[in-house]
PDB file of all heavy atoms in Angstrom:
ATOM      1  N   ARG A  31     -16.752   2.094 -12.661  1.00  0.00           N
ATOM      2  CA  ARG A  31     -16.854   0.713 -12.162  1.00  0.00           C
ATOM      3  C   ARG A  31     -15.679  -0.132 -12.624  1.00  0.00           C
ATOM      4  O   ARG A  31     -15.160  -0.973 -11.874  1.00  0.00           O
ATOM      5  CB  ARG A  31     -18.163   0.076 -12.636  1.00  0.00           C
ATOM      6  CG  ARG A  31     -19.427   0.783 -12.171  1.00  0.00           C
ATOM      7  CD  ARG A  31     -19.489   0.942 -10.673  1.00  0.00           C
ATOM      8  NE  ARG A  31     -20.699   1.625 -10.254  1.00  0.00           N
ATOM      9  CZ  ARG A  31     -20.866   2.209  -9.082  1.00  0.00           C
ATOM     10  NH1 ARG A  31     -19.878   2.221  -8.215  1.00  0.00           N
ATOM     11  NH2 ARG A  31     -22.009   2.787  -8.777  1.00  0.00           N
ATOM     12  N   LEU A  32     -15.247   0.066 -13.860  1.00  0.00           N
ATOM     13  CA  LEU A  32     -14.086  -0.673 -14.352  1.00  0.00           C
ATOM     14  C   LEU A  32     -12.827  -0.324 -13.549  1.00  0.00           C
ATOM     15  O   LEU A  32     -12.015  -1.202 -13.221  1.00  0.00           O
ATOM     16  CB  LEU A  32     -13.857  -0.372 -15.840  1.00  0.00           C
ATOM     17  CG  LEU A  32     -14.837  -1.042 -16.810  1.00  0.00           C
ATOM     18  CD1 LEU A  32     -14.689  -0.448 -18.207  1.00  0.00           C
ATOM     19  CD2 LEU A  32     -14.603  -2.542 -16.855  1.00  0.00           C
ATOM     20  N   ALA A  33     -12.689   0.959 -13.217  1.00  0.00           N
ATOM     21  CA  ALA A  33     -11.548   1.381 -12.395  1.00  0.00           C
ATOM     22  C   ALA A  33     -11.622   0.743 -11.005  1.00  0.00           C
ATOM     23  O   ALA A  33     -10.604   0.294 -10.459  1.00  0.00           O
ATOM     24  CB  ALA A  33     -11.527   2.906 -12.284  1.00  0.00           C
ATOM     25  N   GLU A  34     -12.825   0.679 -10.451  1.00  0.00           N
ATOM     26  CA  GLU A  34     -13.003   0.043  -9.128  1.00  0.00           C
ATOM     27  C   GLU A  34     -12.635  -1.438  -9.183  1.00  0.00           C
ATOM     28  O   GLU A  34     -12.060  -1.969  -8.238  1.00  0.00           O
ATOM     29  CB  GLU A  34     -14.445   0.219  -8.658  1.00  0.00           C
ATOM     30  CG  GLU A  34     -14.786   1.644  -8.263  1.00  0.00           C
ATOM     31  CD  GLU A  34     -16.243   1.796  -7.855  1.00  0.00           C
ATOM     32  OE1 GLU A  34     -17.025   0.862  -8.122  1.00  0.00           O
ATOM     33  OE2 GLU A  34     -16.581   2.836  -7.262  1.00  0.00           O
ATOM     34  N   CYS A  35     -12.973  -2.098 -10.289  1.00  0.00           N
ATOM     35  CA  CYS A  35     -12.599  -3.506 -10.453  1.00  0.00           C
ATOM     36  C   CYS A  35     -11.081  -3.672 -10.423  1.00  0.00           C
ATOM     37  O   CYS A  35     -10.548  -4.582  -9.759  1.00  0.00           O
ATOM     38  CB  CYS A  35     -13.150  -4.056 -11.769  1.00  0.00           C
ATOM     39  SG  CYS A  35     -14.927  -4.284 -11.794  1.00  0.00           S
ATOM     40  N   CYS A  36     -10.395  -2.805 -11.163  1.00  0.00           N
ATOM     41  CA  CYS A  36      -8.925  -2.875 -11.216  1.00  0.00           C
ATOM     42  C   CYS A  36      -8.312  -2.618  -9.838  1.00  0.00           C
ATOM     43  O   CYS A  36      -7.382  -3.327  -9.408  1.00  0.00           O
ATOM     44  CB  CYS A  36      -8.386  -1.877 -12.232  1.00  0.00           C
ATOM     45  SG  CYS A  36      -8.916  -2.198 -13.927  1.00  0.00           S
ATOM     46  N   ILE A  37      -8.827  -1.625  -9.135  1.00  0.00           N
ATOM     47  CA  ILE A  37      -8.294  -1.282  -7.811  1.00  0.00           C
ATOM     48  C   ILE A  37      -8.530  -2.423  -6.832  1.00  0.00           C
ATOM     49  O   ILE A  37      -7.632  -2.807  -6.073  1.00  0.00           O
ATOM     50  CB  ILE A  37      -8.938   0.017  -7.288  1.00  0.00           C
ATOM     51  CG1 ILE A  37      -8.495   1.205  -8.152  1.00  0.00           C
ATOM     52  CG2 ILE A  37      -8.574   0.267  -5.834  1.00  0.00           C
ATOM     53  CD1 ILE A  37      -9.265   2.480  -7.883  1.00  0.00           C
ATOM     54  N   MET A  38      -9.746  -2.985  -6.856  1.00  0.00           N
ATOM     55  CA  MET A  38     -10.062  -4.078  -5.933  1.00  0.00           C
ATOM     56  C   MET A  38      -9.217  -5.313  -6.227  1.00  0.00           C
ATOM     57  O   MET A  38      -8.713  -5.970  -5.306  1.00  0.00           O
ATOM     58  CB  MET A  38     -11.545  -4.437  -6.009  1.00  0.00           C
ATOM     59  CG  MET A  38     -11.963  -5.521  -5.029  1.00  0.00           C
ATOM     60  SD  MET A  38     -13.712  -5.961  -5.135  1.00  0.00           S
ATOM     61  CE  MET A  38     -14.461  -4.473  -4.445  1.00  0.00           C
ATOM     62  N   ALA A  39      -9.058  -5.638  -7.513  1.00  0.00           N
ATOM     63  CA  ALA A  39      -8.254  -6.807  -7.886  1.00  0.00           C
ATOM     64  C   ALA A  39      -6.802  -6.615  -7.455  1.00  0.00           C
ATOM     65  O   ALA A  39      -6.170  -7.543  -6.931  1.00  0.00           O
ATOM     66  CB  ALA A  39      -8.345  -7.039  -9.389  1.00  0.00           C
ATOM     67  N   TYR A  40      -6.274  -5.399  -7.662  1.00  0.00           N
ATOM     68  CA  TYR A  40      -4.892  -5.114  -7.252  1.00  0.00           C
ATOM     69  C   TYR A  40      -4.748  -5.183  -5.736  1.00  0.00           C
ATOM     70  O   TYR A  40      -3.793  -5.770  -5.216  1.00  0.00           O
ATOM     71  CB  TYR A  40      -4.494  -3.728  -7.760  1.00  0.00           C
ATOM     72  CG  TYR A  40      -3.107  -3.302  -7.321  1.00  0.00           C
ATOM     73  CD1 TYR A  40      -1.970  -3.840  -7.907  1.00  0.00           C
ATOM     74  CD2 TYR A  40      -2.945  -2.353  -6.301  1.00  0.00           C
ATOM     75  CE1 TYR A  40      -0.701  -3.452  -7.503  1.00  0.00           C
ATOM     76  CE2 TYR A  40      -1.691  -1.955  -5.893  1.00  0.00           C
ATOM     77  CZ  TYR A  40      -0.571  -2.505  -6.486  1.00  0.00           C
ATOM     78  OH  TYR A  40       0.679  -2.125  -6.074  1.00  0.00           O
ATOM     79  N   HIS A  41      -5.710  -4.633  -5.037  1.00  0.00           N
ATOM     80  CA  HIS A  41      -5.671  -4.635  -3.571  1.00  0.00           C
ATOM     81  C   HIS A  41      -5.707  -6.070  -3.039  1.00  0.00           C
ATOM     82  O   HIS A  41      -4.961  -6.411  -2.103  1.00  0.00           O
ATOM     83  CB  HIS A  41      -6.863  -3.845  -3.026  1.00  0.00           C
ATOM     84  CG  HIS A  41      -6.896  -3.755  -1.530  1.00  0.00           C
ATOM     85  ND1 HIS A  41      -5.932  -3.102  -0.793  1.00  0.00           N
ATOM     86  CD2 HIS A  41      -7.791  -4.256  -0.623  1.00  0.00           C
ATOM     87  CE1 HIS A  41      -6.204  -3.185   0.499  1.00  0.00           C
ATOM     88  NE2 HIS A  41      -7.340  -3.889   0.620  1.00  0.00           N
ATOM     89  N   MET A  42      -6.555  -6.905  -3.633  1.00  0.00           N
ATOM     90  CA  MET A  42      -6.655  -8.303  -3.189  1.00  0.00           C
ATOM     91  C   MET A  42      -5.365  -9.064  -3.478  1.00  0.00           C
ATOM     92  O   MET A  42      -4.941  -9.904  -2.683  1.00  0.00           O
ATOM     93  CB  MET A  42      -7.846  -8.974  -3.876  1.00  0.00           C
ATOM     94  CG  MET A  42      -9.199  -8.448  -3.412  1.00  0.00           C
ATOM     95  SD  MET A  42     -10.593  -9.092  -4.348  1.00  0.00           S
ATOM     96  CE  MET A  42     -10.596 -10.807  -3.836  1.00  0.00           C
ATOM     97  N   SER A  43      -4.728  -8.752  -4.619  1.00  0.00           N
ATOM     98  CA  SER A  43      -3.466  -9.428  -4.944  1.00  0.00           C
ATOM     99  C   SER A  43      -2.354  -9.004  -3.990  1.00  0.00           C
ATOM    100  O   SER A  43      -1.505  -9.822  -3.591  1.00  0.00           O
ATOM    101  CB  SER A  43      -3.065  -9.131  -6.390  1.00  0.00           C
ATOM    102  OG  SER A  43      -2.756  -7.756  -6.551  1.00  0.00           O
ATOM    103  N   ILE A  44      -2.354  -7.719  -3.587  1.00  0.00           N
ATOM    104  CA  ILE A  44      -1.346  -7.225  -2.638  1.00  0.00           C
ATOM    105  C   ILE A  44      -1.508  -7.920  -1.288  1.00  0.00           C
ATOM    106  O   ILE A  44      -0.524  -8.339  -0.649  1.00  0.00           O
ATOM    107  CB  ILE A  44      -1.457  -5.698  -2.474  1.00  0.00           C
ATOM    108  CG1 ILE A  44      -1.019  -4.987  -3.760  1.00  0.00           C
ATOM    109  CG2 ILE A  44      -0.635  -5.216  -1.287  1.00  0.00           C
ATOM    110  CD1 ILE A  44       0.447  -5.190  -4.103  1.00  0.00           C
ATOM    111  N   ILE A  45      -2.763  -8.039  -0.837  1.00  0.00           N
ATOM    112  CA  ILE A  45      -3.020  -8.695   0.444  1.00  0.00           C
ATOM    113  C   ILE A  45      -2.566 -10.149   0.394  1.00  0.00           C
ATOM    114  O   ILE A  45      -1.960 -10.668   1.344  1.00  0.00           O
ATOM    115  CB  ILE A  45      -4.522  -8.607   0.794  1.00  0.00           C
ATOM    116  CG1 ILE A  45      -4.900  -7.152   1.079  1.00  0.00           C
ATOM    117  CG2 ILE A  45      -4.851  -9.490   1.985  1.00  0.00           C
ATOM    118  CD1 ILE A  45      -6.382  -6.953   1.328  1.00  0.00           C
ATOM    119  N   GLU A  46      -2.842 -10.815  -0.736  1.00  0.00           N
ATOM    120  CA  GLU A  46      -2.449 -12.220  -0.875  1.00  0.00           C
ATOM    121  C   GLU A  46      -0.931 -12.372  -0.857  1.00  0.00           C
ATOM    122  O   GLU A  46      -0.381 -13.254  -0.193  1.00  0.00           O
ATOM    123  CB  GLU A  46      -3.028 -12.770  -2.181  1.00  0.00           C
ATOM    124  CG  GLU A  46      -2.777 -14.256  -2.371  1.00  0.00           C
ATOM    125  CD  GLU A  46      -3.400 -14.781  -3.649  1.00  0.00           C
ATOM    126  OE1 GLU A  46      -4.201 -14.037  -4.264  1.00  0.00           O
ATOM    127  OE2 GLU A  46      -3.091 -15.917  -4.028  1.00  0.00           O
ATOM    128  N   GLU A  47      -0.240 -11.471  -1.604  1.00  0.00           N
ATOM    129  CA  GLU A  47       1.224 -11.528  -1.624  1.00  0.00           C
ATOM    130  C   GLU A  47       1.804 -11.221  -0.250  1.00  0.00           C
ATOM    131  O   GLU A  47       2.776 -11.842   0.185  1.00  0.00           O
ATOM    132  CB  GLU A  47       1.760 -10.535  -2.651  1.00  0.00           C
ATOM    133  CG  GLU A  47       1.486 -10.934  -4.087  1.00  0.00           C
ATOM    134  CD  GLU A  47       2.000  -9.896  -5.059  1.00  0.00           C
ATOM    135  OE1 GLU A  47       2.627  -8.924  -4.599  1.00  0.00           O
ATOM    136  OE2 GLU A  47       1.760 -10.061  -6.275  1.00  0.00           O
ATOM    137  N   LYS A  48       1.200 -10.264   0.439  1.00  0.00           N
ATOM    138  CA  LYS A  48       1.684  -9.889   1.766  1.00  0.00           C
ATOM    139  C   LYS A  48       1.530 -11.041   2.746  1.00  0.00           C
ATOM    140  O   LYS A  48       2.409 -11.288   3.588  1.00  0.00           O
ATOM    141  CB  LYS A  48       0.926  -8.664   2.269  1.00  0.00           C
ATOM    142  CG  LYS A  48       1.470  -8.109   3.570  1.00  0.00           C
ATOM    143  CD  LYS A  48       0.726  -6.849   3.982  1.00  0.00           C
ATOM    144  CE  LYS A  48       1.279  -6.300   5.292  1.00  0.00           C
ATOM    145  NZ  LYS A  48       0.546  -5.088   5.718  1.00  0.00           N
ATOM    146  N   THR A  49       0.410 -11.761   2.622  1.00  0.00           N
ATOM    147  CA  THR A  49       0.185 -12.911   3.502  1.00  0.00           C
ATOM    148  C   THR A  49       1.244 -13.976   3.285  1.00  0.00           C
ATOM    149  O   THR A  49       1.784 -14.553   4.233  1.00  0.00           O
ATOM    150  CB  THR A  49      -1.216 -13.500   3.247  1.00  0.00           C
ATOM    151  OG1 THR A  49      -2.192 -12.486   3.441  1.00  0.00           O
ATOM    152  CG2 THR A  49      -1.491 -14.654   4.181  1.00  0.00           C
ATOM    153  N   VAL A  50       1.555 -14.204   2.001  1.00  0.00           N
ATOM    154  CA  VAL A  50       2.586 -15.206   1.684  1.00  0.00           C
ATOM    155  C   VAL A  50       3.951 -14.741   2.162  1.00  0.00           C
ATOM    156  O   VAL A  50       4.725 -15.509   2.754  1.00  0.00           O
ATOM    157  CB  VAL A  50       2.606 -15.475   0.161  1.00  0.00           C
ATOM    158  CG1 VAL A  50       3.773 -16.382  -0.195  1.00  0.00           C
ATOM    159  CG2 VAL A  50       1.285 -16.086  -0.280  1.00  0.00           C
ATOM    160  N   ASP A  51       4.268 -13.464   1.937  1.00  0.00           N
ATOM    161  CA  ASP A  51       5.571 -12.929   2.359  1.00  0.00           C
ATOM    162  C   ASP A  51       5.707 -12.953   3.872  1.00  0.00           C
ATOM    163  O   ASP A  51       6.795 -13.264   4.396  1.00  0.00           O
ATOM    164  CB  ASP A  51       5.738 -11.497   1.850  1.00  0.00           C
ATOM    165  CG  ASP A  51       5.910 -11.452   0.336  1.00  0.00           C
ATOM    166  OD1 ASP A  51       6.230 -12.520  -0.239  1.00  0.00           O
ATOM    167  OD2 ASP A  51       5.708 -10.373  -0.257  1.00  0.00           O
ATOM    168  N   ASP A  52       4.619 -12.635   4.578  1.00  0.00           N
ATOM    169  CA  ASP A  52       4.669 -12.630   6.041  1.00  0.00           C
ATOM    170  C   ASP A  52       4.939 -14.023   6.578  1.00  0.00           C
ATOM    171  O   ASP A  52       5.677 -14.201   7.561  1.00  0.00           O
ATOM    172  CB  ASP A  52       3.362 -12.095   6.625  1.00  0.00           C
ATOM    173  CG  ASP A  52       3.234 -10.590   6.435  1.00  0.00           C
ATOM    174  OD1 ASP A  52       4.269  -9.957   6.119  1.00  0.00           O
ATOM    175  OD2 ASP A  52       2.116 -10.065   6.594  1.00  0.00           O
ATOM    176  N   SER A  53       4.362 -15.029   5.935  1.00  0.00           N
ATOM    177  CA  SER A  53       4.592 -16.403   6.400  1.00  0.00           C
ATOM    178  C   SER A  53       6.034 -16.818   6.153  1.00  0.00           C
ATOM    179  O   SER A  53       6.634 -17.557   6.931  1.00  0.00           O
ATOM    180  CB  SER A  53       3.637 -17.368   5.689  1.00  0.00           C
ATOM    181  OG  SER A  53       3.891 -17.371   4.286  1.00  0.00           O
ATOM    182  N   ARG A  54       6.610 -16.298   5.046  1.00  0.00           N
ATOM    183  CA  ARG A  54       8.015 -16.605   4.769  1.00  0.00           C
ATOM    184  C   ARG A  54       8.941 -15.870   5.737  1.00  0.00           C
ATOM    185  O   ARG A  54       9.904 -16.416   6.243  1.00  0.00           O
ATOM    186  CB  ARG A  54       8.349 -16.201   3.332  1.00  0.00           C
ATOM    187  CG  ARG A  54       7.670 -17.072   2.278  1.00  0.00           C
ATOM    188  CD  ARG A  54       7.936 -16.539   0.893  1.00  0.00           C
ATOM    189  NE  ARG A  54       7.302 -17.350  -0.136  1.00  0.00           N
ATOM    190  CZ  ARG A  54       7.257 -17.023  -1.421  1.00  0.00           C
ATOM    191  NH1 ARG A  54       7.834 -15.882  -1.828  1.00  0.00           N
ATOM    192  NH2 ARG A  54       6.660 -17.805  -2.285  1.00  0.00           N
ATOM    193  N   LYS A  55       8.601 -14.573   5.992  1.00  0.00           N
ATOM    194  CA  LYS A  55       9.442 -13.763   6.859  1.00  0.00           C
ATOM    195  C   LYS A  55       9.444 -14.296   8.295  1.00  0.00           C
ATOM    196  O   LYS A  55      10.442 -14.229   9.000  1.00  0.00           O
ATOM    197  CB  LYS A  55       8.976 -12.320   6.842  1.00  0.00           C
ATOM    198  CG  LYS A  55       9.244 -11.604   5.524  1.00  0.00           C
ATOM    199  CD  LYS A  55       8.675 -10.199   5.558  1.00  0.00           C
ATOM    200  CE  LYS A  55       8.888  -9.488   4.233  1.00  0.00           C
ATOM    201  NZ  LYS A  55       8.287  -8.136   4.237  1.00  0.00           N
TER     202      LYS A  55
END
């Protein structure tokens, strides 16, 4: 479960960064 938390948090941060980068691009 702890590993799943880390994976989900990382995945959500990637999506957030991608959204910001896409708006800039």
Side-chain angles (χ1 to χ4, degrees):
R31 300 305 180 199
L32 285 168
E34 289 178 347
C35 289
C36 297
I37 293 169
M38 183 181 289
Y40 177 75
H41 182 65
M42 291 173 69
S43 66
I44 291 295
I45 292 176
E46 185 178 349
E47 290 178 4
K48 187 177 180 181
T49 303
V50 173
D51 290 343
D52 287 345
S53 63
R54 291 175 180 172
K55 290 177 182 178

